[in-house]
PDB file of all heavy atoms in Angstrom:
ATOM      1  N   LEU A 102    -102.429  92.228 -88.244  1.00  0.00           N
ATOM      2  CA  LEU A 102    -103.632  93.069 -88.300  1.00  0.00           C
ATOM      3  C   LEU A 102    -103.445  94.233 -89.267  1.00  0.00           C
ATOM      4  O   LEU A 102    -104.254  94.443 -90.176  1.00  0.00           O
ATOM      5  CB  LEU A 102    -103.966  93.592 -86.907  1.00  0.00           C
ATOM      6  CG  LEU A 102    -104.598  92.589 -85.927  1.00  0.00           C
ATOM      7  CD1 LEU A 102    -104.709  93.189 -84.537  1.00  0.00           C
ATOM      8  CD2 LEU A 102    -105.977  92.155 -86.421  1.00  0.00           C
ATOM      9  N   PHE A 103    -102.374  95.004 -89.068  1.00  0.00           N
ATOM     10  CA  PHE A 103    -102.174  96.173 -89.933  1.00  0.00           C
ATOM     11  C   PHE A 103    -101.736  95.762 -91.333  1.00  0.00           C
ATOM     12  O   PHE A 103    -101.997  96.474 -92.299  1.00  0.00           O
ATOM     13  CB  PHE A 103    -101.157  97.122 -89.286  1.00  0.00           C
ATOM     14  CG  PHE A 103    -101.752  97.981 -88.219  1.00  0.00           C
ATOM     15  CD1 PHE A 103    -101.756  97.564 -86.902  1.00  0.00           C
ATOM     16  CD2 PHE A 103    -102.340  99.203 -88.530  1.00  0.00           C
ATOM     17  CE1 PHE A 103    -102.319  98.353 -85.907  1.00  0.00           C
ATOM     18  CE2 PHE A 103    -102.903  99.996 -87.549  1.00  0.00           C
ATOM     19  CZ  PHE A 103    -102.896  99.573 -86.227  1.00  0.00           C
ATOM     20  N   GLY A 104    -101.088  94.600 -91.458  1.00  0.00           N
ATOM     21  CA  GLY A 104    -100.761  94.091 -92.789  1.00  0.00           C
ATOM     22  C   GLY A 104    -102.016  93.750 -93.574  1.00  0.00           C
ATOM     23  O   GLY A 104    -102.111  94.006 -94.771  1.00  0.00           O
ATOM     24  N   ALA A 105    -103.013  93.198 -92.887  1.00  0.00           N
ATOM     25  CA  ALA A 105    -104.298  92.915 -93.539  1.00  0.00           C
ATOM     26  C   ALA A 105    -104.941  94.201 -94.026  1.00  0.00           C
ATOM     27  O   ALA A 105    -105.591  94.242 -95.077  1.00  0.00           O
ATOM     28  CB  ALA A 105    -105.220  92.187 -92.571  1.00  0.00           C
ATOM     29  N   GLY A 106    -104.749  95.290 -93.258  1.00  0.00           N
ATOM     30  CA  GLY A 106    -105.326  96.575 -93.643  1.00  0.00           C
ATOM     31  C   GLY A 106    -104.690  97.198 -94.859  1.00  0.00           C
ATOM     32  O   GLY A 106    -105.236  98.148 -95.425  1.00  0.00           O
ATOM     33  N   ALA A 107    -103.533  96.683 -95.284  1.00  0.00           N
ATOM     34  CA  ALA A 107    -102.862  97.232 -96.469  1.00  0.00           C
ATOM     35  C   ALA A 107    -103.501  96.761 -97.772  1.00  0.00           C
ATOM     36  O   ALA A 107    -103.146  97.243 -98.851  1.00  0.00           O
ATOM     37  CB  ALA A 107    -101.385  96.855 -96.453  1.00  0.00           C
ATOM     38  N   GLY A 108    -104.411  95.791 -97.690  1.00  0.00           N
ATOM     39  CA  GLY A 108    -105.141  95.356 -98.884  1.00  0.00           C
ATOM     40  C   GLY A 108    -104.295  94.660 -99.921  1.00  0.00           C
ATOM     41  O   GLY A 108    -104.480  94.868-101.130  1.00  0.00           O
ATOM     42  N   GLN A 109    -103.360  93.806 -99.476  1.00  0.00           N
ATOM     43  CA  GLN A 109    -102.494  93.100-100.415  1.00  0.00           C
ATOM     44  C   GLN A 109    -102.596  91.591-100.270  1.00  0.00           C
ATOM     45  O   GLN A 109    -101.700  90.859-100.702  1.00  0.00           O
ATOM     46  CB  GLN A 109    -101.041  93.566-100.208  1.00  0.00           C
ATOM     47  CG  GLN A 109    -100.855  95.042-100.484  1.00  0.00           C
ATOM     48  CD  GLN A 109     -99.443  95.523-100.223  1.00  0.00           C
ATOM     49  OE1 GLN A 109     -98.479  94.776-100.417  1.00  0.00           O
ATOM     50  NE2 GLN A 109     -99.305  96.770 -99.800  1.00  0.00           N
ATOM     51  N   GLY A 110    -103.670  91.124 -99.687  1.00  0.00           N
ATOM     52  CA  GLY A 110    -103.865  89.699 -99.521  1.00  0.00           C
ATOM     53  C   GLY A 110    -103.361  89.230 -98.171  1.00  0.00           C
ATOM     54  O   GLY A 110    -102.783  89.984 -97.387  1.00  0.00           O
ATOM     55  N   SER A 111    -103.594  87.973 -97.890  1.00  0.00           N
ATOM     56  CA  SER A 111    -103.173  87.403 -96.618  1.00  0.00           C
ATOM     57  C   SER A 111    -101.669  87.167 -96.609  1.00  0.00           C
ATOM     58  O   SER A 111    -101.018  87.159 -97.657  1.00  0.00           O
ATOM     59  CB  SER A 111    -103.897  86.077 -96.369  1.00  0.00           C
ATOM     60  OG  SER A 111    -103.455  85.096 -97.291  1.00  0.00           O
ATOM     61  N   ILE A 112    -101.127  86.955 -95.426  1.00  0.00           N
ATOM     62  CA  ILE A 112     -99.706  86.633 -95.293  1.00  0.00           C
ATOM     63  C   ILE A 112     -99.364  85.415 -96.139  1.00  0.00           C
ATOM     64  O   ILE A 112     -98.368  85.396 -96.869  1.00  0.00           O
ATOM     65  CB  ILE A 112     -99.348  86.359 -93.816  1.00  0.00           C
ATOM     66  CG1 ILE A 112     -99.596  87.596 -92.972  1.00  0.00           C
ATOM     67  CG2 ILE A 112     -97.908  85.878 -93.686  1.00  0.00           C
ATOM     68  CD1 ILE A 112     -99.555  87.335 -91.479  1.00  0.00           C
ATOM     69  N   LYS A 113    -100.193  84.408 -96.066  1.00  0.00           N
ATOM     70  CA  LYS A 113     -99.944  83.136 -96.741  1.00  0.00           C
ATOM     71  C   LYS A 113     -99.836  83.316 -98.254  1.00  0.00           C
ATOM     72  O   LYS A 113     -98.895  82.833 -98.897  1.00  0.00           O
ATOM     73  CB  LYS A 113    -101.055  82.148 -96.390  1.00  0.00           C
ATOM     74  CG  LYS A 113    -100.827  80.728 -96.844  1.00  0.00           C
ATOM     75  CD  LYS A 113    -101.954  79.840 -96.342  1.00  0.00           C
ATOM     76  CE  LYS A 113    -101.764  78.390 -96.752  1.00  0.00           C
ATOM     77  NZ  LYS A 113    -102.872  77.540 -96.236  1.00  0.00           N
ATOM     78  N   VAL A 114    -100.793  84.036 -98.828  1.00  0.00           N
ATOM     79  CA  VAL A 114    -100.802  84.245-100.277  1.00  0.00           C
ATOM     80  C   VAL A 114     -99.667  85.172-100.692  1.00  0.00           C
ATOM     81  O   VAL A 114     -98.947  84.916-101.670  1.00  0.00           O
ATOM     82  CB  VAL A 114    -102.164  84.822-100.718  1.00  0.00           C
ATOM     83  CG1 VAL A 114    -102.116  85.242-102.184  1.00  0.00           C
ATOM     84  CG2 VAL A 114    -103.272  83.804-100.494  1.00  0.00           C
ATOM     85  N   TRP A 115     -99.482  86.265 -99.950  1.00  0.00           N
ATOM     86  CA  TRP A 115     -98.448  87.252-100.276  1.00  0.00           C
ATOM     87  C   TRP A 115     -97.069  86.611-100.264  1.00  0.00           C
ATOM     88  O   TRP A 115     -96.267  86.807-101.191  1.00  0.00           O
ATOM     89  CB  TRP A 115     -98.519  88.381 -99.259  1.00  0.00           C
ATOM     90  CG  TRP A 115     -97.852  89.670 -99.634  1.00  0.00           C
ATOM     91  CD1 TRP A 115     -98.459  90.795-100.104  1.00  0.00           C
ATOM     92  CD2 TRP A 115     -96.443  89.993 -99.524  1.00  0.00           C
ATOM     93  NE1 TRP A 115     -97.526  91.792-100.303  1.00  0.00           N
ATOM     94  CE2 TRP A 115     -96.277  91.322 -99.959  1.00  0.00           C
ATOM     95  CE3 TRP A 115     -95.318  89.289 -99.118  1.00  0.00           C
ATOM     96  CZ2 TRP A 115     -95.047  91.965 -99.993  1.00  0.00           C
ATOM     97  CZ3 TRP A 115     -94.074  89.906 -99.157  1.00  0.00           C
ATOM     98  CH2 TRP A 115     -93.950  91.233 -99.580  1.00  0.00           C
ATOM     99  N   CYS A 116     -96.797  85.845 -99.229  1.00  0.00           N
ATOM    100  CA  CYS A 116     -95.475  85.230 -99.091  1.00  0.00           C
ATOM    101  C   CYS A 116     -95.236  84.134-100.122  1.00  0.00           C
ATOM    102  O   CYS A 116     -94.110  83.967-100.616  1.00  0.00           O
ATOM    103  CB  CYS A 116     -95.306  84.660 -97.685  1.00  0.00           C
ATOM    104  SG  CYS A 116     -95.272  85.924 -96.387  1.00  0.00           S
ATOM    105  N   ARG A 117     -96.285  83.400-100.467  1.00  0.00           N
ATOM    106  CA  ARG A 117     -96.124  82.371-101.487  1.00  0.00           C
ATOM    107  C   ARG A 117     -95.715  83.008-102.813  1.00  0.00           C
ATOM    108  O   ARG A 117     -94.797  82.527-103.495  1.00  0.00           O
ATOM    109  CB  ARG A 117     -97.423  81.587-101.665  1.00  0.00           C
ATOM    110  CG  ARG A 117     -97.309  80.442-102.693  1.00  0.00           C
ATOM    111  CD  ARG A 117     -98.630  79.720-102.846  1.00  0.00           C
ATOM    112  NE  ARG A 117     -99.637  80.576-103.434  1.00  0.00           N
ATOM    113  CZ  ARG A 117    -100.899  80.662-103.004  1.00  0.00           C
ATOM    114  NH1 ARG A 117    -101.289  79.961-101.961  1.00  0.00           N
ATOM    115  NH2 ARG A 117    -101.755  81.461-103.607  1.00  0.00           N
ATOM    116  N   GLU A 118     -96.375  84.090-103.173  1.00  0.00           N
ATOM    117  CA  GLU A 118     -96.041  84.768-104.422  1.00  0.00           C
ATOM    118  C   GLU A 118     -94.645  85.387-104.354  1.00  0.00           C
ATOM    119  O   GLU A 118     -93.886  85.358-105.327  1.00  0.00           O
ATOM    120  CB  GLU A 118     -97.092  85.839-104.722  1.00  0.00           C
ATOM    121  CG  GLU A 118     -98.445  85.242-105.093  1.00  0.00           C
ATOM    122  CD  GLU A 118     -99.549  86.284-105.136  1.00  0.00           C
ATOM    123  OE1 GLU A 118     -99.374  87.350-104.498  1.00  0.00           O
ATOM    124  OE2 GLU A 118    -100.583  86.028-105.781  1.00  0.00           O
ATOM    125  N   HIS A 119     -94.300  85.923-103.188  1.00  0.00           N
ATOM    126  CA  HIS A 119     -93.005  86.574-103.075  1.00  0.00           C
ATOM    127  C   HIS A 119     -91.864  85.556-103.099  1.00  0.00           C
ATOM    128  O   HIS A 119     -90.803  85.814-103.690  1.00  0.00           O
ATOM    129  CB  HIS A 119     -92.938  87.403-101.793  1.00  0.00           C
ATOM    130  CG  HIS A 119     -91.716  88.268-101.730  1.00  0.00           C
ATOM    131  ND1 HIS A 119     -91.544  89.373-102.544  1.00  0.00           N
ATOM    132  CD2 HIS A 119     -90.579  88.184-100.985  1.00  0.00           C
ATOM    133  CE1 HIS A 119     -90.375  89.924-102.294  1.00  0.00           C
ATOM    134  NE2 HIS A 119     -89.769  89.226-101.347  1.00  0.00           N
ATOM    135  N   ARG A 120     -92.054  84.431-102.475  1.00  0.00           N
ATOM    136  CA  ARG A 120     -91.021  83.389-102.529  1.00  0.00           C
ATOM    137  C   ARG A 120     -90.863  82.867-103.953  1.00  0.00           C
ATOM    138  O   ARG A 120     -89.751  82.555-104.392  1.00  0.00           O
ATOM    139  CB  ARG A 120     -91.375  82.256-101.566  1.00  0.00           C
ATOM    140  CG  ARG A 120     -91.208  82.620-100.100  1.00  0.00           C
ATOM    141  CD  ARG A 120     -91.582  81.475 -99.169  1.00  0.00           C
ATOM    142  NE  ARG A 120     -91.457  81.869 -97.768  1.00  0.00           N
ATOM    143  CZ  ARG A 120     -91.707  81.069 -96.736  1.00  0.00           C
ATOM    144  NH1 ARG A 120     -92.088  79.802 -96.938  1.00  0.00           N
ATOM    145  NH2 ARG A 120     -91.571  81.511 -95.492  1.00  0.00           N
ATOM    146  N   ALA A 121     -91.968  82.760-104.677  1.00  0.00           N
ATOM    147  CA  ALA A 121     -91.891  82.352-106.087  1.00  0.00           C
ATOM    148  C   ALA A 121     -91.126  83.397-106.898  1.00  0.00           C
ATOM    149  O   ALA A 121     -90.338  83.066-107.786  1.00  0.00           O
ATOM    150  CB  ALA A 121     -93.289  82.148-106.658  1.00  0.00           C
ATOM    151  N   HIS A 122     -91.355  84.663-106.582  1.00  0.00           N
ATOM    152  CA  HIS A 122     -90.635  85.742-107.266  1.00  0.00           C
ATOM    153  C   HIS A 122     -89.133  85.599-107.066  1.00  0.00           C
ATOM    154  O   HIS A 122     -88.349  85.720-108.024  1.00  0.00           O
ATOM    155  CB  HIS A 122     -91.122  87.084-106.730  1.00  0.00           C
ATOM    156  CG  HIS A 122     -90.239  88.241-107.072  1.00  0.00           C
ATOM    157  ND1 HIS A 122     -90.033  88.676-108.364  1.00  0.00           N
ATOM    158  CD2 HIS A 122     -89.488  89.058-106.280  1.00  0.00           C
ATOM    159  CE1 HIS A 122     -89.213  89.701-108.362  1.00  0.00           C
ATOM    160  NE2 HIS A 122     -88.850  89.957-107.109  1.00  0.00           N
ATOM    161  N   HIS A 123     -88.697  85.339-105.842  1.00  0.00           N
ATOM    162  CA  HIS A 123     -87.267  85.212-105.573  1.00  0.00           C
ATOM    163  C   HIS A 123     -86.680  83.968-106.234  1.00  0.00           C
ATOM    164  O   HIS A 123     -85.593  84.023-106.804  1.00  0.00           O
ATOM    165  CB  HIS A 123     -87.022  85.152-104.060  1.00  0.00           C
ATOM    166  CG  HIS A 123     -86.805  86.501-103.448  1.00  0.00           C
ATOM    167  ND1 HIS A 123     -85.563  87.031-103.223  1.00  0.00           N
ATOM    168  CD2 HIS A 123     -87.693  87.436-103.031  1.00  0.00           C
ATOM    169  CE1 HIS A 123     -85.678  88.224-102.685  1.00  0.00           C
ATOM    170  NE2 HIS A 123     -86.965  88.503-102.552  1.00  0.00           N
ATOM    171  N   ARG A 124     -87.398  82.886-106.167  1.00  0.00           N
ATOM    172  CA  ARG A 124     -86.856  81.631-106.692  1.00  0.00           C
ATOM    173  C   ARG A 124     -86.796  81.635-108.211  1.00  0.00           C
ATOM    174  O   ARG A 124     -85.858  81.090-108.801  1.00  0.00           O
ATOM    175  CB  ARG A 124     -87.705  80.459-106.203  1.00  0.00           C
ATOM    176  CG  ARG A 124     -87.178  79.100-106.657  1.00  0.00           C
ATOM    177  CD  ARG A 124     -87.947  77.960-106.038  1.00  0.00           C
ATOM    178  NE  ARG A 124     -87.445  76.672-106.470  1.00  0.00           N
ATOM    179  CZ  ARG A 124     -87.932  75.500-106.079  1.00  0.00           C
ATOM    180  NH1 ARG A 124     -88.944  75.467-105.232  1.00  0.00           N
ATOM    181  NH2 ARG A 124     -87.425  74.378-106.534  1.00  0.00           N
ATOM    182  N   TYR A 125     -87.771  82.267-108.862  1.00  0.00           N
ATOM    183  CA  TYR A 125     -87.854  82.216-110.329  1.00  0.00           C
ATOM    184  C   TYR A 125     -87.743  83.606-110.942  1.00  0.00           C
ATOM    185  O   TYR A 125     -88.267  83.852-112.028  1.00  0.00           O
ATOM    186  CB  TYR A 125     -89.181  81.583-110.749  1.00  0.00           C
ATOM    187  CG  TYR A 125     -89.431  80.216-110.152  1.00  0.00           C
ATOM    188  CD1 TYR A 125     -90.279  80.060-109.054  1.00  0.00           C
ATOM    189  CD2 TYR A 125     -88.815  79.078-110.668  1.00  0.00           C
ATOM    190  CE1 TYR A 125     -90.515  78.798-108.500  1.00  0.00           C
ATOM    191  CE2 TYR A 125     -89.042  77.824-110.117  1.00  0.00           C
ATOM    192  CZ  TYR A 125     -89.894  77.699-109.038  1.00  0.00           C
ATOM    193  OH  TYR A 125     -90.113  76.453-108.492  1.00  0.00           O
ATOM    194  N   VAL A 126     -87.054  84.509-110.278  1.00  0.00           N
ATOM    195  CA  VAL A 126     -87.008  85.901-110.714  1.00  0.00           C
ATOM    196  C   VAL A 126     -86.618  86.024-112.180  1.00  0.00           C
ATOM    197  O   VAL A 126     -85.741  85.315-112.674  1.00  0.00           O
ATOM    198  CB  VAL A 126     -86.034  86.706-109.819  1.00  0.00           C
ATOM    199  CG1 VAL A 126     -84.604  86.199-109.944  1.00  0.00           C
ATOM    200  CG2 VAL A 126     -86.114  88.186-110.110  1.00  0.00           C
ATOM    201  N   ASP A 127     -87.325  86.914-112.874  1.00  0.00           N
ATOM    202  CA  ASP A 127     -87.072  87.243-114.282  1.00  0.00           C
ATOM    203  C   ASP A 127     -87.396  86.101-115.242  1.00  0.00           C
ATOM    204  O   ASP A 127     -86.924  86.109-116.389  1.00  0.00           O
ATOM    205  CB  ASP A 127     -85.620  87.684-114.499  1.00  0.00           C
ATOM    206  CG  ASP A 127     -85.239  88.892-113.657  1.00  0.00           C
ATOM    207  OD1 ASP A 127     -86.122  89.698-113.349  1.00  0.00           O
ATOM    208  OD2 ASP A 127     -84.058  89.020-113.298  1.00  0.00           O
ATOM    209  N   THR A 128     -88.148  85.118-114.794  1.00  0.00           N
ATOM    210  CA  THR A 128     -88.581  84.037-115.681  1.00  0.00           C
ATOM    211  C   THR A 128     -90.098  84.046-115.770  1.00  0.00           C
ATOM    212  O   THR A 128     -90.776  84.780-115.055  1.00  0.00           O
ATOM    213  CB  THR A 128     -88.115  82.661-115.166  1.00  0.00           C
ATOM    214  OG1 THR A 128     -88.878  82.308-113.991  1.00  0.00           O
ATOM    215  CG2 THR A 128     -86.636  82.681-114.819  1.00  0.00           C
ATOM    216  N   ASP A 129     -90.627  83.196-116.626  1.00  0.00           N
ATOM    217  CA  ASP A 129     -92.080  83.139-116.803  1.00  0.00           C
ATOM    218  C   ASP A 129     -92.783  82.593-115.560  1.00  0.00           C
ATOM    219  O   ASP A 129     -93.991  82.740-115.417  1.00  0.00           O
ATOM    220  CB  ASP A 129     -92.416  82.266-118.014  1.00  0.00           C
ATOM    221  CG  ASP A 129     -93.758  82.632-118.624  1.00  0.00           C
ATOM    222  OD1 ASP A 129     -94.073  83.830-118.663  1.00  0.00           O
ATOM    223  OD2 ASP A 129     -94.488  81.718-119.045  1.00  0.00           O
ATOM    224  N   GLN A 130     -92.024  81.974-114.657  1.00  0.00           N
ATOM    225  CA  GLN A 130     -92.613  81.446-113.435  1.00  0.00           C
ATOM    226  C   GLN A 130     -92.627  82.469-112.308  1.00  0.00           C
ATOM    227  O   GLN A 130     -93.166  82.213-111.244  1.00  0.00           O
ATOM    228  CB  GLN A 130     -91.841  80.196-112.992  1.00  0.00           C
ATOM    229  CG  GLN A 130     -92.006  79.013-113.927  1.00  0.00           C
ATOM    230  CD  GLN A 130     -91.167  77.830-113.489  1.00  0.00           C
ATOM    231  OE1 GLN A 130     -89.933  77.832-113.605  1.00  0.00           O
ATOM    232  NE2 GLN A 130     -91.816  76.808-112.973  1.00  0.00           N
ATOM    233  N   ASP A 131     -92.033  83.618-112.558  1.00  0.00           N
ATOM    234  CA  ASP A 131     -92.054  84.735-111.615  1.00  0.00           C
ATOM    235  C   ASP A 131     -93.411  85.436-111.751  1.00  0.00           C
ATOM    236  O   ASP A 131     -93.731  85.938-112.826  1.00  0.00           O
ATOM    237  CB  ASP A 131     -90.915  85.686-111.959  1.00  0.00           C
ATOM    238  CG  ASP A 131     -90.878  86.938-111.097  1.00  0.00           C
ATOM    239  OD1 ASP A 131     -91.778  87.111-110.243  1.00  0.00           O
ATOM    240  OD2 ASP A 131     -89.951  87.743-111.275  1.00  0.00           O
ATOM    241  N   PRO A 132     -94.224  85.498-110.688  1.00  0.00           N
ATOM    242  CA  PRO A 132     -95.564  86.087-110.819  1.00  0.00           C
ATOM    243  C   PRO A 132     -95.549  87.543-111.259  1.00  0.00           C
ATOM    244  O   PRO A 132     -96.458  87.997-111.950  1.00  0.00           O
ATOM    245  CB  PRO A 132     -96.168  85.932-109.415  1.00  0.00           C
ATOM    246  CG  PRO A 132     -95.032  85.630-108.513  1.00  0.00           C
ATOM    247  CD  PRO A 132     -93.982  84.968-109.343  1.00  0.00           C
ATOM    248  N   TYR A 133     -94.542  88.310-110.850  1.00  0.00           N
ATOM    249  CA  TYR A 133     -94.451  89.697-111.329  1.00  0.00           C
ATOM    250  C   TYR A 133     -93.148  89.937-112.064  1.00  0.00           C
ATOM    251  O   TYR A 133     -92.363  90.826-111.730  1.00  0.00           O
ATOM    252  CB  TYR A 133     -94.640  90.720-110.208  1.00  0.00           C
ATOM    253  CG  TYR A 133     -94.324  90.297-108.791  1.00  0.00           C
ATOM    254  CD1 TYR A 133     -93.085  90.504-108.215  1.00  0.00           C
ATOM    255  CD2 TYR A 133     -95.315  89.729-107.984  1.00  0.00           C
ATOM    256  CE1 TYR A 133     -92.818  90.173-106.901  1.00  0.00           C
ATOM    257  CE2 TYR A 133     -95.052  89.374-106.667  1.00  0.00           C
ATOM    258  CZ  TYR A 133     -93.811  89.589-106.135  1.00  0.00           C
ATOM    259  OH  TYR A 133     -93.544  89.251-104.821  1.00  0.00           O
ATOM    260  N   ASN A 134     -92.956  89.143-113.081  1.00  0.00           N
ATOM    261  CA  ASN A 134     -91.763  89.175-113.921  1.00  0.00           C
ATOM    262  C   ASN A 134     -91.646  90.511-114.648  1.00  0.00           C
ATOM    263  O   ASN A 134     -92.475  90.853-115.486  1.00  0.00           O
ATOM    264  CB  ASN A 134     -91.839  88.017-114.925  1.00  0.00           C
ATOM    265  CG  ASN A 134     -90.647  87.977-115.850  1.00  0.00           C
ATOM    266  OD1 ASN A 134     -89.641  88.629-115.626  1.00  0.00           O
ATOM    267  ND2 ASN A 134     -90.765  87.198-116.915  1.00  0.00           N
ATOM    268  N   VAL A 135     -90.589  91.277-114.346  1.00  0.00           N
ATOM    269  CA  VAL A 135     -90.413  92.592-114.959  1.00  0.00           C
ATOM    270  C   VAL A 135     -90.114  92.483-116.449  1.00  0.00           C
ATOM    271  O   VAL A 135     -90.277  93.466-117.193  1.00  0.00           O
ATOM    272  CB  VAL A 135     -89.304  93.378-114.230  1.00  0.00           C
ATOM    273  CG1 VAL A 135     -87.928  92.842-114.611  1.00  0.00           C
ATOM    274  CG2 VAL A 135     -89.395  94.867-114.500  1.00  0.00           C
ATOM    275  N   ALA A 136     -89.681  91.314-116.916  1.00  0.00           N
ATOM    276  CA  ALA A 136     -89.414  91.133-118.337  1.00  0.00           C
ATOM    277  C   ALA A 136     -90.685  91.290-119.172  1.00  0.00           C
ATOM    278  O   ALA A 136     -90.614  91.527-120.378  1.00  0.00           O
ATOM    279  CB  ALA A 136     -88.794  89.758-118.584  1.00  0.00           C
ATOM    280  N   LYS A 137     -91.845  91.169-118.526  1.00  0.00           N
ATOM    281  CA  LYS A 137     -93.114  91.366-119.222  1.00  0.00           C
ATOM    282  C   LYS A 137     -93.543  92.826-119.245  1.00  0.00           C
ATOM    283  O   LYS A 137     -94.623  93.147-119.731  1.00  0.00           O
ATOM    284  CB  LYS A 137     -94.196  90.515-118.554  1.00  0.00           C
ATOM    285  CG  LYS A 137     -93.965  89.011-118.670  1.00  0.00           C
ATOM    286  CD  LYS A 137     -95.096  88.225-118.029  1.00  0.00           C
ATOM    287  CE  LYS A 137     -94.882  86.731-118.171  1.00  0.00           C
ATOM    288  NZ  LYS A 137     -95.983  85.943-117.552  1.00  0.00           N
ATOM    289  N   GLY A 138     -92.710  93.697-118.714  1.00  0.00           N
ATOM    290  CA  GLY A 138     -93.005  95.125-118.756  1.00  0.00           C
ATOM    291  C   GLY A 138     -93.314  95.704-117.385  1.00  0.00           C
ATOM    292  O   GLY A 138     -93.697  94.994-116.454  1.00  0.00           O
ATOM    293  N   LEU A 139     -93.127  97.017-117.263  1.00  0.00           N
ATOM    294  CA  LEU A 139     -93.362  97.695-115.997  1.00  0.00           C
ATOM    295  C   LEU A 139     -94.816  97.588-115.548  1.00  0.00           C
ATOM    296  O   LEU A 139     -95.094  97.432-114.357  1.00  0.00           O
ATOM    297  CB  LEU A 139     -92.976  99.171-116.119  1.00  0.00           C
ATOM    298  CG  LEU A 139     -91.503  99.529-115.887  1.00  0.00           C
ATOM    299  CD1 LEU A 139     -91.280 101.017-116.082  1.00  0.00           C
ATOM    300  CD2 LEU A 139     -91.071  99.114-114.492  1.00  0.00           C
ATOM    301  N   PHE A 140     -95.741  97.694-116.489  1.00  0.00           N
ATOM    302  CA  PHE A 140     -97.154  97.634-116.110  1.00  0.00           C
ATOM    303  C   PHE A 140     -97.493  96.280-115.496  1.00  0.00           C
ATOM    304  O   PHE A 140     -98.173  96.203-114.463  1.00  0.00           O
ATOM    305  CB  PHE A 140     -98.055  97.896-117.327  1.00  0.00           C
ATOM    306  CG  PHE A 140     -99.529  97.795-117.004  1.00  0.00           C
ATOM    307  CD1 PHE A 140    -100.190  98.839-116.385  1.00  0.00           C
ATOM    308  CD2 PHE A 140    -100.253  96.643-117.310  1.00  0.00           C
ATOM    309  CE1 PHE A 140    -101.540  98.746-116.066  1.00  0.00           C
ATOM    310  CE2 PHE A 140    -101.597  96.537-116.999  1.00  0.00           C
ATOM    311  CZ  PHE A 140    -102.245  97.594-116.380  1.00  0.00           C
ATOM    312  N   HIS A 141     -97.005  95.212-116.119  1.00  0.00           N
ATOM    313  CA  HIS A 141     -97.284  93.880-115.588  1.00  0.00           C
ATOM    314  C   HIS A 141     -96.684  93.717-114.202  1.00  0.00           C
ATOM    315  O   HIS A 141     -97.349  93.230-113.276  1.00  0.00           O
ATOM    316  CB  HIS A 141     -96.721  92.803-116.510  1.00  0.00           C
ATOM    317  CG  HIS A 141     -96.780  91.423-115.916  1.00  0.00           C
ATOM    318  ND1 HIS A 141     -97.914  90.640-115.973  1.00  0.00           N
ATOM    319  CD2 HIS A 141     -95.852  90.696-115.228  1.00  0.00           C
ATOM    320  CE1 HIS A 141     -97.681  89.492-115.354  1.00  0.00           C
ATOM    321  NE2 HIS A 141     -96.435  89.500-114.890  1.00  0.00           N
TER     322      HIS A 141
END
């Protein structure tokens, strides 16, 4: 409930993106790849 109130998407979507981040960290398959810059 309170996680939904944080405005960061559902558990399902958030966790899918986060697991992708861990598995493909620092690559083009990382959804928030820091190699593309801090803003990205």
Side-chain angles (χ1 to χ4, degrees):
L102 285 173
F103 280 91
Q109 298 177 33
S111 68
I112 298 168
K113 189 176 181 179
V114 171
W115 198 101
C116 294
R117 182 181 66 224
E118 291 169 338
H119 189 70
R120 288 179 182 181
H122 165 65
H123 270 264
R124 182 174 180 180
Y125 305 101
V126 63
D127 302 331
T128 72
D129 205 38
Q130 292 177 288
D131 177 357
Y133 25 93
N134 180 13
V135 75
K137 295 182 179 180
L139 275 178
F140 178 79
H141 171 83

